[in-house]
Amino acid sequence: MGILRLSHVEVRVPDLELATAYYCEVLGLIETAREPERVFLKCWDEHEHHSLILRYAPTYGLDHLGFKLQDADDLDRYERSVEKYGLAVTRMARGEVAPGHGEAIRFTSPTGHLVELVHGMEKVGNLLPLTNPPPRPQGLVGIAPPRLDHVFVTAEDVDEGTRFFREALGFRLTEQVLADDGARLAAWLEVSHTPHDIALITGPNGGLHHFAFWLDDWNEVRAAADTLAYHGVPIDVAPTRHGATRGFTCYFFDPAGNRNEVFTGGYWVDPDQEPVTWTEAEMGRAIFYYEGVVNQRFLTVHT
Ligand SMILES: [Fe+2]
């Protein structure tokens, strides 16, 4: 019972056609539904109706993020725990929010993000049969990540945000950066036994630092950078390795300026694992292990 993983993100884009072309032809996502002002997309190995929603708006940034619930009862349980934490919760009926959507609750987290917990999103299947499937479908285009992996958001008070995700939603802290005065500068939190499903870094409330797609290995991260460079996509950070999460990564920007990542590696987390701590002096190595420093754009550009 409980939250299984990140379900979807909805981001604002000022040019819906351009963003859709980028996410379909460069990222290689699949369009599953379209409205005049929203386009719904999924990765090839995801079974649910959508994991990315592009919403037309005259700006960029995060509209909301959603986590997948295992059971219908979880909606009631989290509604109670979020209300007990002191936040207002809105209940959304099946299909009310979006085509193919399940039943959901919504609230604004103490970090200023609109968060949704959803159960029962329509299953449209991945691109493989359930009987005797090949390991990978033919005809994929672009980077073609199999699934959405995590979201990284900014918050004025990372400590309070961390407390909320742990106490109200049951996330486990895997890693953190602590300042010399003890303040929590960044936190990595998980529910899916991976290094992170969501992470928080000090910045404005409600901000999006990036959302990340999973790739199966380091060679695919390198090949993703080939695809990005071929299409002239602005690469923020070329393929490298994180200290925190131990993941392999490449960062880049969608046409609206929202930061994307492809991510692989990391480790398996048991629920009783003690969090790893990085000191303020080693924050550069926590973010980019080889370089040991974080470029200014990475710290200051968010949407
Ligand atoms: Fe990330």
Side-chain angles (χ1 to χ4, degrees):
M1 279 219 324
I3 300 172
L4 291 173
R5 58 176 169 79
L6 185 64
S7 154
H8 61 281
V9 293
E10 178 167 332
V11 293
R12 295 183 283 265
V13 296
D15 186 333
L16 201 51
E17 286 311 313
L18 180 63
T20 302
Y22 162 82
Y23 280 104
C24 288
E25 290 162 29
V26 180
L27 259 295
L29 273 52
I30 295 147
E31 182 179 324
T32 55
R34 181 178 282 249
E35 295 174 340
E37 302 208 331
R38 285 190 299 180
V39 174
F40 299 83
L41 304 156
K42 69 182 278 291
C43 300
W44 72 261
D45 202 22
E46 291 169 333
H47 290 263
E48 282 82 9
H49 185 271
H50 52 264
S51 57
L52 175 63
I53 307 168
L54 305 175
R55 173 191 286 276
Y56 168 74
T59 180
Y60 49 29
L62 183 68
D63 178 275
H64 76 272
L65 56 101
F67 294 103
K68 177 183 176 178
L69 297 177
Q70 183 169 352
D71 298 317
D73 293 351
D74 294 331
L75 290 160
D76 300 327
R77 201 158 61 82
Y78 286 108
E79 185 173 19
R80 284 195 299 274
S81 65
V82 172
E83 283 179 342
K84 189 173 161 215
Y85 200 88
L87 304 177
V89 177
T90 309
R91 195 83 177 221
M92 327 285 282
R94 179 175 296 277
E96 184 182 341
V97 186
H101 216 61
E103 199 178 346
I105 60 170
R106 275 188 171 192
F107 48 87
T108 301
S109 71
T111 59
H113 297 91
L114 181 59
V115 177
E116 188 178 279
L117 306 182
V118 59
H119 172 261
M121 194 188 288
E122 181 190 337
K123 297 240 189 204
V124 297
N126 63 1
L127 293 187
L128 301 175
L130 289 175
T131 303
N132 305 331
R136 186 176 167 89
Q138 298 296 303
L140 296 175
V141 298
I143 296 169
R147 64 177 185 273
L148 185 67
D149 189 73
H150 65 265
V151 64
F152 206 117
V153 297
T154 62
E156 286 170 21
D157 189 340
V158 169
D159 207 41
E160 168 63 13
T162 302
R163 190 175 313 121
F164 171 74
F165 279 98
R166 295 174 88 178
E167 290 179 13
L169 301 183
F171 280 68
R172 297 175 287 265
L173 179 69
T174 54
E175 306 210 22
Q176 59 186 344
V177 179
L178 295 183
D180 298 340
D181 65 3
R184 198 176 261 141
L185 300 177
W188 287 256
L189 296 142
E190 66 85 22
V191 286
S192 66
H193 307 279
T194 61
H196 60 333
D197 295 288
I198 187 168
L200 311 172
I201 191 162
T202 307
N205 266 4
L208 171 69
H209 190 277
H210 66 266
F211 57 98
F213 298 96
W214 176 261
L215 291 177
D216 284 335
D217 61 37
W218 164 248
N219 199 47
E220 290 197 8
V221 175
R222 179 201 56 72
D226 288 345
T227 301
L228 295 166
Y230 176 85
H231 287 285
V233 173
I235 293 178
D236 184 30
V237 179
T240 186
R241 185 184 180 103
H242 291 306
T245 75
R246 297 183 205 152
F248 297 99
T249 176
C250 176
Y251 289 100
F252 45 99
F253 292 101
D254 78 7
N258 298 302
R259 189 186 277 101
N260 294 162
E261 179 189 16
V262 285
F263 178 89
T264 192
Y267 46 77
W268 182 256
V269 186
D270 282 347
D272 61 353
Q273 187 163 312
E274 290 290 313
V276 164
T277 298
W278 297 82
T279 59
E280 189 171 358
E282 289 296 299
M283 184 166 181
R285 217 163 281 290
I287 306 293
F288 298 121
Y289 190 72
Y290 301 144
E291 295 84 345
V293 289
V294 180
N295 76 46
Q296 208 51 31
R297 184 177 56 221
F298 193 82
L299 290 177
T300 54
V301 175
H302 39 73
T303 59

XYZ file of all heavy atoms in Angstrom, residues 198-252:
429
model
N 11.969 12.028 -5.681
C 11.922 13.488 -5.680
C 13.137 13.975 -4.899
O 13.594 13.299 -3.961
C 10.599 14.027 -5.076
C 10.514 15.563 -5.240
C 10.442 13.631 -3.613
C 9.148 16.136 -4.935
N 13.678 15.102 -5.301
C 14.743 15.731 -4.532
C 14.449 17.212 -4.423
O 13.754 17.792 -5.263
C 16.096 15.481 -5.189
N 14.943 17.798 -3.343
C 14.711 19.214 -3.049
C 16.054 19.908 -2.948
O 16.990 19.373 -2.348
C 13.986 19.375 -1.702
C 12.745 18.518 -1.445
C 12.289 18.683 0.010
C 11.630 18.907 -2.397
N 16.152 21.106 -3.536
C 17.364 21.892 -3.388
C 16.952 23.324 -3.074
O 15.874 23.779 -3.505
C 18.268 21.801 -4.652
C 19.646 22.394 -4.382
C 17.602 22.433 -5.857
C 20.722 21.974 -5.384
N 17.778 24.016 -2.314
C 17.448 25.361 -1.878
C 17.239 26.284 -3.082
O 18.059 26.319 -4.004
C 18.585 25.915 -0.994
O 18.831 24.967 0.040
C 18.199 27.245 -0.388
N 16.129 27.014 -3.065
C 15.766 27.911 -4.159
C 14.363 28.431 -3.895
O 13.818 28.229 -2.812
N 13.766 29.072 -4.899
C 12.420 29.613 -4.681
C 11.380 28.514 -4.506
O 11.486 27.451 -5.134
C 12.144 30.424 -5.948
C 13.243 30.161 -6.885
C 14.317 29.400 -6.211
N 10.363 28.780 -3.691
C 9.266 27.830 -3.544
C 8.548 27.633 -4.873
O 8.379 28.576 -5.635
C 8.262 28.340 -2.497
C 8.556 27.769 -1.127
O 9.534 27.049 -0.929
N 7.723 28.102 -0.168
N 8.159 26.415 -5.151
C 7.369 26.127 -6.352
C 8.196 25.956 -7.616
O 7.644 25.740 -8.686
N 9.520 26.044 -7.520
C 10.367 25.984 -8.705
C 10.647 24.556 -9.158
O 10.632 23.617 -8.370
N 10.916 24.439 -10.446
C 11.340 23.161 -11.030
C 12.811 23.275 -11.390
O 13.191 24.159 -12.154
C 10.529 22.869 -12.301
C 11.002 21.677 -13.139
C 10.759 20.355 -12.409
C 10.300 21.662 -14.498
N 13.640 22.388 -10.849
C 15.024 22.359 -11.306
C 15.129 21.475 -12.551
O 15.658 21.881 -13.562
C 15.969 21.870 -10.206
C 17.411 22.057 -10.573
N 18.077 21.146 -11.347
C 18.281 23.062 -10.336
C 19.316 21.582 -11.560
N 19.462 22.742 -10.961
N 14.601 20.265 -12.480
C 14.549 19.405 -13.663
C 13.645 18.209 -13.394
O 13.304 17.922 -12.251
C 15.946 18.905 -14.048
C 16.593 17.985 -13.044
N 17.449 18.429 -12.063
C 16.495 16.645 -12.850
C 17.859 17.405 -11.338
N 17.291 16.304 -11.787
N 13.251 17.534 -14.463
C 12.669 16.200 -14.325
C 13.476 15.266 -15.212
O 14.053 15.684 -16.221
C 11.165 16.165 -14.617
C 10.749 16.664 -15.961
C 10.506 15.770 -16.997
C 10.562 18.020 -16.199
C 10.091 16.220 -18.243
C 10.162 18.480 -17.443
C 9.931 17.581 -18.464
N 13.533 13.998 -14.812
C 14.503 13.075 -15.411
C 13.830 11.830 -15.955
O 12.882 11.299 -15.369
C 15.548 12.672 -14.374
N 14.371 11.368 -17.080
C 13.947 10.117 -17.691
C 15.010 9.053 -17.435
O 16.214 9.342 -17.453
C 13.761 10.299 -19.200
C 12.691 11.297 -19.546
C 13.005 12.618 -19.827
C 11.357 10.909 -19.575
C 12.008 13.543 -20.138
C 10.363 11.829 -19.889
C 10.691 13.143 -20.169
N 14.546 7.840 -17.217
C 15.451 6.715 -16.983
C 16.041 6.201 -18.300
O 15.352 6.122 -19.316
C 14.696 5.566 -16.302
C 15.540 4.346 -16.119
C 15.565 3.235 -16.902
C 16.508 4.135 -15.086
N 16.492 2.349 -16.418
C 17.086 2.866 -15.306
C 16.942 4.897 -13.995
C 18.074 2.345 -14.471
C 17.922 4.381 -13.173
C 18.477 3.113 -13.419
N 17.318 5.863 -18.290
C 17.916 5.084 -19.376
C 18.548 3.844 -18.758
O 18.869 3.832 -17.569
C 18.967 5.905 -20.126
C 18.434 7.081 -20.965
C 19.579 7.852 -21.599
C 17.455 6.600 -22.039
N 18.760 2.813 -19.562
C 19.148 1.534 -18.971
C 20.624 1.422 -18.621
O 20.989 0.607 -17.770
C 18.741 0.371 -19.885
C 17.244 0.111 -19.808
O 16.647 0.455 -18.767
O 16.670 -0.412 -20.776
N 21.483 2.188 -19.282
C 22.904 2.110 -18.912
C 23.664 3.352 -19.378
O 23.126 4.207 -20.083
C 23.559 0.821 -19.430
C 23.524 0.709 -20.951
O 23.676 1.749 -21.622
O 23.362 -0.419 -21.452
N 24.914 3.414 -18.973
C 25.788 4.552 -19.261
C 25.941 4.774 -20.760
O 25.972 5.904 -21.231
C 27.134 4.289 -18.578
C 28.266 5.138 -19.063
C 29.348 4.737 -19.769
C 28.416 6.553 -18.864
N 30.167 5.812 -20.018
C 29.625 6.938 -19.472
C 27.650 7.530 -18.222
C 30.090 8.247 -19.467
C 28.110 8.837 -18.223
C 29.311 9.179 -18.830
N 26.020 3.696 -21.530
C 26.193 3.864 -22.968
C 24.993 4.581 -23.594
O 25.135 5.331 -24.559
C 26.416 2.502 -23.637
C 27.050 2.654 -25.004
O 28.020 3.389 -25.160
N 26.478 2.008 -25.999
N 23.818 4.369 -23.029
C 22.627 5.060 -23.543
C 22.651 6.545 -23.179
O 22.083 7.367 -23.902
C 21.362 4.391 -23.013
C 21.155 3.012 -23.622
C 19.735 2.500 -23.451
O 18.862 3.266 -22.991
O 19.510 1.326 -23.770
N 23.289 6.879 -22.058
C 23.441 8.302 -21.692
C 24.353 8.981 -22.722
O 24.077 10.087 -23.194
C 23.992 8.454 -20.265
C 24.266 9.921 -19.929
C 23.015 7.855 -19.249
N 25.439 8.305 -23.061
C 26.350 8.824 -24.088
C 25.618 8.972 -25.434
O 25.704 10.013 -26.098
C 27.548 7.878 -24.246
C 28.552 8.321 -25.305
C 29.409 7.180 -25.788
N 28.626 6.050 -26.295
C 27.956 6.042 -27.444
N 27.978 7.098 -28.227
N 27.264 4.988 -27.813
N 24.842 7.949 -25.813
C 24.104 8.007 -27.079
C 23.041 9.105 -27.046
O 22.752 9.741 -28.067
C 23.461 6.646 -27.357
N 22.455 9.352 -25.862
C 21.472 10.443 -25.728
C 22.134 11.780 -26.031
O 21.555 12.630 -26.716
C 20.874 10.442 -24.324
N 23.367 11.963 -25.530
C 24.087 13.216 -25.798
C 24.367 13.358 -27.299
O 24.292 14.456 -27.851
C 25.377 13.262 -24.988
N 24.674 12.243 -27.979
C 24.837 12.275 -29.444
C 23.566 12.805 -30.105
O 23.607 13.654 -30.997
C 25.105 10.863 -30.002
C 26.498 10.345 -29.668
O 27.356 11.147 -29.261
O 26.700 9.124 -29.834
N 22.423 12.272 -29.681
C 21.133 12.668 -30.261
C 20.843 14.146 -29.982
O 20.389 14.883 -30.865
C 20.003 11.782 -29.677
O 20.301 10.417 -29.993
C 18.642 12.156 -30.236
N 21.116 14.582 -28.743
C 20.866 15.983 -28.382
C 21.731 16.919 -29.222
O 21.264 17.923 -29.746
C 21.149 16.191 -26.895
C 20.214 15.434 -25.945
C 20.785 15.443 -24.528
C 18.819 16.030 -25.968
N 23.011 16.586 -29.332
C 23.930 17.442 -30.094
C 23.534 17.467 -31.564
O 23.553 18.515 -32.213
C 25.365 16.946 -29.920
N 23.129 16.304 -32.092
C 22.712 16.210 -33.496
C 21.556 17.163 -33.783
O 21.501 17.820 -34.817
C 22.317 14.768 -33.828
C 21.792 14.592 -35.228
C 22.664 14.404 -36.298
C 20.422 14.629 -35.483
C 22.180 14.259 -37.592
C 19.930 14.489 -36.768
C 20.811 14.296 -37.817
O 20.331 14.163 -39.096
N 20.606 17.235 -32.829
C 19.419 18.076 -33.020
C 19.632 19.513 -32.557
O 18.691 20.312 -32.580
C 18.226 17.463 -32.273
C 17.671 16.237 -32.936
N 16.897 16.286 -34.072
C 17.792 14.924 -32.629
C 16.550 15.057 -34.433
N 17.082 14.211 -33.572
N 20.841 19.829 -32.086
C 21.110 21.199 -31.651
C 20.434 21.574 -30.346
O 20.198 22.749 -30.068
N 20.108 20.578 -29.530
C 19.486 20.850 -28.228
C 20.551 21.383 -27.271
O 21.642 20.818 -27.190
C 18.866 19.549 -27.642
C 18.374 19.765 -26.214
C 17.730 19.069 -28.537
N 20.256 22.481 -26.555
C 21.265 23.002 -25.620
C 21.545 22.030 -24.459
O 20.645 21.711 -23.690
C 20.659 24.313 -25.106
C 19.281 24.406 -25.643
C 19.052 23.303 -26.624
N 22.787 21.540 -24.426
C 23.202 20.631 -23.354
C 23.729 21.473 -22.195
O 24.617 22.301 -22.377
C 24.264 19.634 -23.860
C 23.630 18.689 -24.891
C 24.869 18.841 -22.693
C 24.589 17.692 -25.509
N 23.147 21.269 -21.023
C 23.533 22.020 -19.820
C 24.777 21.396 -19.207
O 25.744 22.083 -18.899
C 22.351 21.996 -18.842
C 22.601 22.818 -17.596
O 23.336 23.818 -17.676
O 22.045 22.463 -16.539
N 24.741 20.076 -19.010
C 25.878 19.345 -18.444
C 26.033 18.060 -19.252
O 25.118 17.230 -19.295
C 25.647 19.009 -16.956
C 26.831 18.231 -16.389
C 25.414 20.283 -16.136
N 27.180 17.902 -19.913
C 27.435 16.719 -20.729
C 27.557 15.480 -19.835
O 27.723 15.608 -18.620
C 28.709 16.930 -21.543
N 27.481 14.283 -20.407
C 27.453 13.066 -19.589
C 28.542 13.023 -18.513
O 29.725 13.210 -18.799
C 27.636 11.956 -20.622
C 26.966 12.494 -21.847
C 27.293 13.979 -21.836
N 28.110 12.774 -17.299
C 29.018 12.703 -16.158
C 28.338 11.896 -15.049
O 27.327 11.237 -15.302
C 29.430 14.117 -15.687
O 30.423 14.008 -14.663
C 28.256 14.903 -15.137
N 28.926 11.957 -13.848
C 28.419 11.142 -12.743
C 28.115 12.000 -11.524
O 28.861 12.919 -11.208
C 29.481 10.106 -12.371
C 29.049 9.099 -11.315
C 30.241 8.207 -10.973
N 29.934 7.213 -9.971
C 29.714 5.919 -10.219
N 29.767 5.463 -11.438
N 29.470 5.078 -9.243
N 27.013 11.655 -10.849
C 26.687 12.292 -9.572
C 27.438 11.604 -8.436
O 27.677 10.389 -8.485
C 25.198 12.123 -9.259
C 24.279 12.901 -10.150
N 24.379 14.247 -10.345
C 23.215 12.502 -10.887
C 23.417 14.655 -11.149
N 22.702 13.604 -11.508
N 27.782 12.379 -7.389
C 28.205 11.771 -6.128
C 26.972 11.258 -5.399
O 26.818 10.056 -5.159
N 26.059 12.170 -5.076
C 24.773 11.777 -4.491
C 24.016 10.964 -5.528
O 23.950 11.339 -6.703
C 23.976 13.009 -4.105
N 23.476 9.858 -5.132
C 22.743 8.852 -5.937
C 23.667 7.924 -6.741
O 23.238 6.900 -7.213
C 21.719 9.435 -6.956
O 22.405 9.994 -8.093
C 20.816 10.475 -6.321
N 24.956 8.360 -6.952
C 25.927 7.617 -7.778
C 25.480 7.472 -9.229
O 26.022 6.664 -9.988
C 26.169 6.211 -7.235
C 26.768 6.157 -5.866
C 27.011 4.687 -5.509
N 27.022 4.477 -4.082
C 26.673 3.334 -3.488
N 26.288 2.303 -4.229
N 26.712 3.216 -2.190
N 24.439 8.226 -9.605
C 23.879 8.052 -10.941
C 24.747 8.648 -12.026
O 25.603 9.500 -11.780
N 24.518 8.191 -13.256
C 25.120 8.791 -14.448
C 24.064 9.684 -15.089
O 22.877 9.344 -15.080
C 25.588 7.717 -15.424
C 26.666 6.856 -14.840
C 26.360 5.614 -14.298
C 27.982 7.296 -14.784
C 27.352 4.823 -13.737
C 28.973 6.511 -14.230
C 28.661 5.273 -13.696
N 24.507 10.798 -15.658
C 23.559 11.855 -15.984
C 23.971 12.650 -17.203
O 25.155 12.698 -17.555
C 23.446 12.819 -14.779
O 22.590 13.900 -15.115
C 24.814 13.392 -14.390
N 22.992 13.291 -17.837
C 23.240 14.350 -18.814
C 22.039 15.296 -18.691
O 20.894 14.844 -18.625
C 23.330 13.765 -20.227
S 23.533 15.001 -21.530
N 22.326 16.605 -18.604
C 21.268 17.619 -18.470
C 21.162 18.442 -19.735
O 22.175 18.782 -20.348
C 21.578 18.570 -17.310
C 21.446 17.960 -15.951
C 22.569 17.518 -15.256
C 20.207 17.849 -15.330
C 22.458 16.964 -13.998
C 20.088 17.304 -14.064
C 21.221 16.859 -13.405
O 21.102 16.318 -12.159
N 19.942 18.831 -20.052
C 19.694 19.627 -21.259
C 18.371 20.360 -21.097
O 17.649 20.137 -20.111
C 19.702 18.717 -22.494
C 18.935 17.428 -22.328
C 17.655 17.294 -22.822
C 19.500 16.338 -21.650
C 16.942 16.100 -22.661
C 18.791 15.146 -21.482
C 17.521 15.037 -21.988
